[in-house]
Amino acid sequence: NAGVTQTPKFRVLKTGQSMTLLCAQDMNHEYMYWYRQDPGMGLRLIHYSVGEGTTAKGEVPDGYNVSRLKKQNFLLGLESAAPSQTSVYFCASSYLREPFGDEQFFGPGTRLTVL
Amino acid sequence: AQSVAQPEDQVNVAEGNPLTVKCTYSVSGNPYLFWYVQYPNRGLQFLLKYITGDNLVKGSYGFEAEFNKSQTSFHLKKPSALVSDSALYFCAVRDRSWGGSYIPTFGRGTSLIVHP
């Protein structure tokens, strides 16, 4: 049981390049999330998904796109990277079972630098 | 709307002393409340949560948290701090009322530093 995994762990991009971050979970969770973490800003939600084939915008969605073609995978895409997207990106997943208040499981993070 | 505040960016405590990391929240109805810990260069790990019932919740690594509805607080506590407890701590809230958000809101995090 690997939990939540993220690929790659590190990446350096030049401004304008594109890339895709992959998140995979093996816990059969319905919900998946992408966050970015910046110093002093805490965690900010980029996009999330409530099930296969569905996605929704979070707090800071501009400049990012997502897809969830399979229940276990959630992809985050940057079409044209900007230096402001330099950050650490975390994927998370969870059940949503009322009234259990399910907690989130987080991946190890991807450190992205845009030059 | 739901929100959570962690009023302290940093908490310093001596090893062996009790520690408290503060969290206050705002929701329309009743909350689910969570604490997570993040060690350097790692993802967040779940520590404990409040769903309903007993106001004192016990979690991993000897941590506990007290839910106080009148003060809308959910402070994280540990009776005796360890140097290895030094990390970044996040509080999160989700409104469990009908029509509430299914997505939790996180605080900005509190850096706990335990001095030897």
Side-chain angles (χ1 to χ4, degrees):
Chain A
N1 192 337
V4 180
T5 58
Q6 292 183 232
T7 309
K9 288 184 170 53
F10 302 93
R11 187 74 186 267
V12 178
L13 290 178
K14 294 181 180 178
T15 297
Q17 287 184 320
S18 63
M19 78 165 293
T20 300
L21 283 68
L22 171 63
C23 175
Q25 53 96 3
D26 60 1
M27 296 170 280
N28 204 34
H29 287 161
E30 294 93 357
Y31 276 52
M32 296 188 74
Y33 317 77
W34 276 108
Y35 293 92
R36 60 178 289 173
Q37 184 178 27
D38 303 290
M41 301 295 290
L43 284 178
R44 291 186 291 171
L45 183 66
I46 305 171
H47 286 279
Y48 65 97
S49 168
V50 304
E52 183 178 319
T54 72
T55 63
K57 294 180 180 180
E59 180 186 356
V60 288
D62 293 342
Y64 305 94
N65 57 76
V66 288
S67 65
R68 187 145 179 226
L69 300 179
K70 294 182 179 181
K71 186 176 185 179
Q72 63 268 33
N73 295 338
F74 195 29
L75 278 63
L76 178 70
L78 286 73
E79 291 186 348
S80 180
S84 61
Q85 294 177 305
T86 294
S87 187
V88 182
Y89 292 86
F90 290 99
C91 177
S93 69
S94 71
Y95 291 115
L96 186 70
R97 301 168 299 182
E98 300 296 347
F100 299 108
D102 292 294
E103 64 271 21
Q104 292 170 297
F105 291 78
F106 284 80
T110 295
R111 187 174 296 274
L112 174 65
T113 301
V114 183
L115 302 175
Chain B
Q2 60 189 29
S3 65
V4 62
Q6 294 181 242
E8 301 154 318
D9 290 336
Q10 186 172 301
V11 170
N12 291 277
V13 64
E15 188 173 32
N17 283 0
L19 70 87
T20 299
V21 183
K22 295 180 180 177
C23 172
T24 59
Y25 68 90
S26 174
V27 295
S28 304
N30 292 314
Y32 293 121
L33 291 156
F34 308 85
W35 276 103
Y36 293 84
V37 61
Q38 184 182 30
Y39 298 103
N41 300 313
R42 304 286 295 274
L44 278 71
Q45 297 177 34
F46 170 73
L47 271 181
L48 52 80
K49 65 184 175 184
Y50 172 81
I51 302 174
T52 188
D54 194 348
N55 289 343
L56 186 63
V57 178
K58 294 188 182 297
S60 307
Y61 312 121
F63 283 94
E64 58 189 26
E66 186 170 10
F67 171 65
N68 187 317
K69 188 170 184 178
S70 63
Q71 296 185 5
T72 61
S73 67
F74 189 57
H75 300 333
L76 182 69
K77 299 181 180 183
K78 188 174 182 182
S80 179
L82 299 172
V83 172
S84 57
D85 292 330
S86 298
L88 191 57
Y89 291 81
F90 289 95
C91 182
V93 66
R94 183 164 81 79
D95 191 339
R96 64 185 296 170
S97 60
W98 181 255
S101 173
Y102 291 113
I103 308 301
T105 297
F106 282 81
R108 293 196 168 190
T110 297
S111 177
L112 173 67
I113 299 174
V114 181
H115 302 277

